[in-house]
Amino acid sequence: MRFLEAVKVALTAIAANRLRSALTILGVVIGVMSVVLLVAVGTGARDEVTEGIESLGSNLLIAVPGEPGPGQPPGRRSFTVEDVESLRRDLPPGAEVTTNLTGGERLRAEGEETGGTVVGVTPEYQAVTNVEVVRGDFFGESDLTASRRVIVLSAGAAENLFGERDPLAQQVTIAGLQFRVVGITGEAQAAAFGPQAAGSQVYIPVTTAQRLFNTQQLDTLLVTAPDRDRLDAVASETERILTTGPGVDREVSIVTQDEILGVAGDILDTLTLVLAAIAGISLLVGGIGVSNIMLVSVTERTSEVGLRKALGARTRDITRQFLVEAVVLCGFGGVVGIGLGVGLAALAEAVTPLPAVVTTWSVATAFGVSVAVGVIFGVYPARRAGRLEPVVALRSE
Amino acid sequence: MSAPLIELAGVSRRYDLGDAEPVIALRDVDLAIDDGEFVSIVGPSGSGKSTMLHLLGALDKPSQGTVSVAGRDVSQMGDAELAELRNATIGFVFQQFHLLARTPAIANVELPLVYAGVGRAERRRRAGEALSQVGLGHRLEHKPNQLSGGEQQRVAIARALVTSPRLLLADEPTGNLDSHRGEEVMALLADLNAKQGVAVVVITHDLEVAALAPRQIGIRDGVVSEPAVLR
């Protein structure tokens, strides 16, 4: 029997038992759907984090206090404004230096309230991390020296606090202190410390932030090299400046954007793989379901097998018929599962903040695996069918 | 003289039932059927009729002795050869018709040609011809549940004929039909035998049906007798 005939016979058998066929492939549908959906969410997260880190600028170095490596909690504040000044003084010309000091606060204005990540920075921060200001301006050097209470709102925070009204020159209250709004950042604002903060990050002068948070210290120092070739040189120079000097006794870790990208990418790749593996388990369960129902189907169609053998079917023809049926069923389940997975990924992206990116490889793999599931879990029932003796098969009525 | 179409020489068939006494369904049977013959094999239930059918149709192999179909020893044949033999040389007609449900008559008749590797257009042409021969040329697309019992059995006969076999092997072909439809089916078989020269073997418990064949073989307790002692 030719292959196309076998497919036709399989389609006829599947169509003849629509409900049972649908139940058979349900497991495969759900399995493939989960693989596609979870990989899409994992990939989306990876893309967004990568994009966030890349938008910081490729020549960026971040200095954090403490030894590099696991087990070291970040954010042990030990940098001061003096460190910023000595870097500015001693680094080669062309290197930009800025810093930040971050804290979570409630922002209030005219009865409205929103949560926000308040980041104290120097004016250079805008250029160093590519902050886009769409309305008004970033604050300047004089605001820093005078510790003025000025604030650059994120688009999200501005909308939460002021709605449709123009927030420029309005007052925002943080911890009882009044701030004047001088600028608004763009919608797709990248954040230095993870995309989760992107929507709610607001900027104030770092000197003002030190008063607000009641500290003399800073979180991190950010340095840009004039170009990529001098990145390493600037990095070691930065480390030397920060770890030497009278009375200085501390460890400093300098990380480049490439290192962050590498680590974050590795973590998110692992996450995606774990998600795919979990979804893969449901595919396996689906495959066992297919095997189960195919065995029932073989038993039910014993006399059909006997008849086909009496009419001239070889063992091979019967085995192939049932195998093709299992593969067609699973392939169909795979297509339905991919459709649902892609649909749910689009839905997830539309209604939740989770980005979801459906990749070709996940769709292709999911389909390939579901067909493979059909082959693997169809072989045993199909061989059983093929081995049925025609006499025994015809007798079972 | 050429070899008989089917020859059974010293054939026994024993079924081993584990601890119980083995059942001997056929004992030392010698029998030859030639091309173009019309034979009935008649016996009560439990006489070994079904075993005889399975051996004649190369669906089963003997415990002892040899079954030769078209001069070839069935016991020596492998799966593919047996399939080819059943496909090309023998046409089966069953008591329960054994048509594929939800499948049009013509597709049922085409089935043996599918296994013979015949192309689609040619299959359709030959299946249509076979259905016309049994008087169902106007019912090609009807499904089994849209056909009467007599019509279903005629579809089954068309299916058996479609590969132009040398032998039609009919197992209680009238068993599920009323006497009128049964007579029609027997007349059709006699007609095909007379006009096309295909050998017909009808296996039945019904003496009246058996009497319609020119050669009658009796079977009882696994032993054949010829001529059959009717009544």
Side-chain angles (χ1 to χ4, degrees):
Chain A
M1 188 157 52
R2 289 160 204 192
F3 180 72
L4 275 180
E5 293 292 342
V7 172
K8 235 178 87 183
V9 169
L11 288 176
T12 313
I14 290 166
N17 250 312
R18 285 198 186 81
L19 178 64
R20 189 177 67 192
S21 304
L23 289 173
T24 308
I25 61 170
L26 194 58
V28 174
V29 169
I30 293 172
V32 169
M33 185 191 76
S34 343
V35 169
V36 171
L37 178 63
L38 292 179
V39 170
V41 170
T43 311
R46 185 194 202 288
D47 285 1
E48 189 161 298
V49 169
T50 308
E51 203 178 295
I53 296 169
E54 270 173 354
S55 72
L56 291 176
S58 59
N59 301 341
L60 184 70
L61 298 165
I62 298 170
V64 291
E67 277 213 63
Q72 290 293 318
R76 237 185 330 142
R77 290 170 182 165
S78 67
F79 294 134
T80 61
V81 175
E82 284 73 52
D83 291 314
V84 177
E85 273 154 16
S86 53
L87 284 175
R88 281 206 180 122
R89 197 176 51 238
D90 297 342
L91 280 175
E96 293 264 21
V97 182
T98 184
T99 180
N100 66 19
L101 173 62
T102 304
E105 293 287 348
R106 304 298 299 174
L107 278 61
R108 291 186 185 80
E110 298 173 28
E112 298 294 330
E113 188 178 324
T114 187
T117 307
V118 176
V119 190
V121 298
T122 66
E124 292 85 359
Y125 191 87
Q126 185 195 0
V128 167
T129 66
N130 300 330
V131 173
E132 190 199 4
V133 176
V134 291
R135 301 215 46 217
D137 278 309
F138 213 78
F139 46 79
E141 204 60 42
S142 64
D143 298 310
L144 188 74
T145 11
S147 302
R148 289 210 185 97
R149 298 211 289 266
V150 289
I151 186 164
V152 176
L153 288 180
S154 66
E159 200 189 321
N160 287 346
L161 292 173
F162 296 103
E164 296 295 303
R165 282 168 299 134
D166 184 3
L168 281 186
Q170 298 291 325
Q171 297 291 322
V172 172
T173 310
I174 301 172
L177 297 174
Q178 297 258 308
F179 286 75
R180 185 167 54 87
V181 179
V182 296
I184 314 289
T185 60
E187 194 76 54
Q189 178 52 54
F193 299 94
Q196 71 282 355
S200 59
Q201 209 151 36
V202 301
Y203 303 101
I204 60 175
V206 65
T207 44
T208 317
Q210 285 180 322
R211 288 192 191 170
L212 181 67
F213 300 138
N214 191 25
T215 174
Q216 290 303 307
Q217 297 178 329
L218 301 168
D219 286 337
T220 53
L221 301 176
L222 294 94
V223 178
T224 52
D227 52 61
R228 272 188 86 82
D229 293 342
R230 275 188 273 176
L231 201 59
D232 288 340
V234 172
S236 49
E237 185 66 4
T238 302
E239 185 169 2
R240 190 192 60 77
I241 294 168
L242 290 175
T243 51
T244 53
V248 174
D249 177 24
R250 63 181 169 196
E251 296 284 343
V252 171
S253 309
I254 311 276
V255 287
T256 64
Q257 183 203 261
D258 287 349
E259 287 167 353
I260 301 175
L261 264 184
V263 172
D266 285 354
I267 292 171
L268 288 160
D269 280 350
T270 309
L271 175 75
T272 306
L273 271 180
V274 168
L275 289 177
I278 292 170
I281 291 172
S282 62
L283 249 183
L284 182 76
V285 174
I288 293 168
V290 169
S291 203
N292 210 341
I293 307 270
M294 286 302 293
L295 280 175
V296 174
S297 173
V298 168
T299 310
E300 238 180 54
R301 284 151 66 190
T302 299
S303 74
E304 180 195 323
V305 172
L307 170 76
R308 288 178 181 274
K309 284 204 161 177
L311 297 183
R314 290 162 299 179
T315 296
R316 209 172 76 189
D317 295 321
I318 301 292
T319 305
R320 176 150 49 162
Q321 177 191 335
F322 281 89
L323 191 57
V324 166
E325 191 174 321
V327 171
V328 167
L329 262 178
C330 288
F332 187 67
V335 170
V336 174
I338 287 168
L340 284 176
V342 170
L344 281 178
L347 187 71
E349 187 155 60
V351 304
T352 71
L354 287 174
V357 179
V358 175
T359 55
T360 322
W361 74 262
S362 73
V363 169
T365 309
F367 183 74
V369 168
S370 55
V371 169
V373 161
V375 173
I376 292 163
F377 291 95
V379 160
Y380 176 65
R383 288 177 64 97
R384 281 250 305 229
R387 278 202 295 260
L388 284 171
E389 288 291 332
V391 171
V392 178
L394 276 172
R395 212 183 281 139
S396 78
E397 259 303 290
Chain B
M1 186 185 152
S2 65
L5 175 56
I6 294 190
E7 188 170 27
L8 274 61
V11 165
S12 297
R13 182 67 174 95
R14 190 183 66 242
Y15 294 102
D16 292 316
L17 303 173
D19 295 339
E21 190 87 340
V23 171
I24 298 172
L26 283 183
R27 289 167 199 273
D28 199 22
V29 171
D30 294 304
L31 180 68
I33 295 167
D34 285 320
D35 274 312
E37 274 201 277
F38 187 0
V39 183
S40 64
I41 297 177
V42 62
S45 86
S47 59
K49 286 198 309 284
S50 296
T51 305
M52 182 68 110
L53 168 91
H54 295 147
L55 290 172
L56 292 175
L59 294 172
D60 196 7
K61 292 179 178 178
S63 312
Q64 264 169 37
T66 55
V67 175
S68 305
V69 178
R72 300 178 63 196
D73 183 350
V74 167
S75 301
Q76 306 297 319
M77 296 167 86
D79 175 71
E81 287 173 300
L82 282 171
E84 205 268 332
L85 178 75
R86 292 176 203 134
N87 185 256
T89 310
I90 304 167
F92 289 93
V93 178
F94 302 96
Q95 181 176 1
Q96 300 91 348
F97 321 139
H98 280 308
L99 299 177
L100 295 181
R102 303 183 196 88
T103 307
I106 190 150
N108 266 289
V109 176
E110 280 181 42
L111 198 52
L113 297 177
V114 170
Y115 291 116
V118 177
R120 201 178 140 70
E122 173 71 3
R123 279 202 319 253
R124 221 184 140 74
R125 189 185 66 73
R126 282 166 68 178
E129 252 173 36
L131 278 166
S132 296
Q133 277 176 23
V134 300
L136 287 175
H138 58 298
R139 297 255 154 136
L140 304 184
E141 297 300 332
H142 284 61
K143 296 183 177 164
N145 59 359
Q146 299 167 321
L147 296 168
S148 71
E151 287 172 325
Q152 289 186 48
Q153 192 58 300
R154 281 191 281 160
V155 173
I157 293 171
R159 181 179 62 191
L161 279 177
V162 77
T163 54
S164 309
R166 290 165 68 181
L167 171 68
L168 268 191
L169 198 51
D171 178 23
E172 299 277 12
T174 62
N176 276 2
L177 302 174
D178 62 38
S179 60
H180 179 61
R181 304 281 174 217
E183 278 164 31
E184 279 182 4
V185 164
M186 286 305 289
L188 176 61
L189 291 175
D191 190 52
L192 292 169
N193 173 251
K195 289 194 180 147
Q196 302 195 2
V198 57
V200 174
V201 173
V202 173
I203 291 177
T204 182
H205 71 284
D206 187 327
L207 301 176
E208 282 177 38
V209 169
L212 296 171
R215 179 181 171 196
Q216 297 141 18
I217 298 168
I219 183 166
R220 183 178 285 273
D221 298 330
V223 179
V224 296
S225 58
E226 192 176 358
V229 187
L230 301 182
R231 268 167 232 280

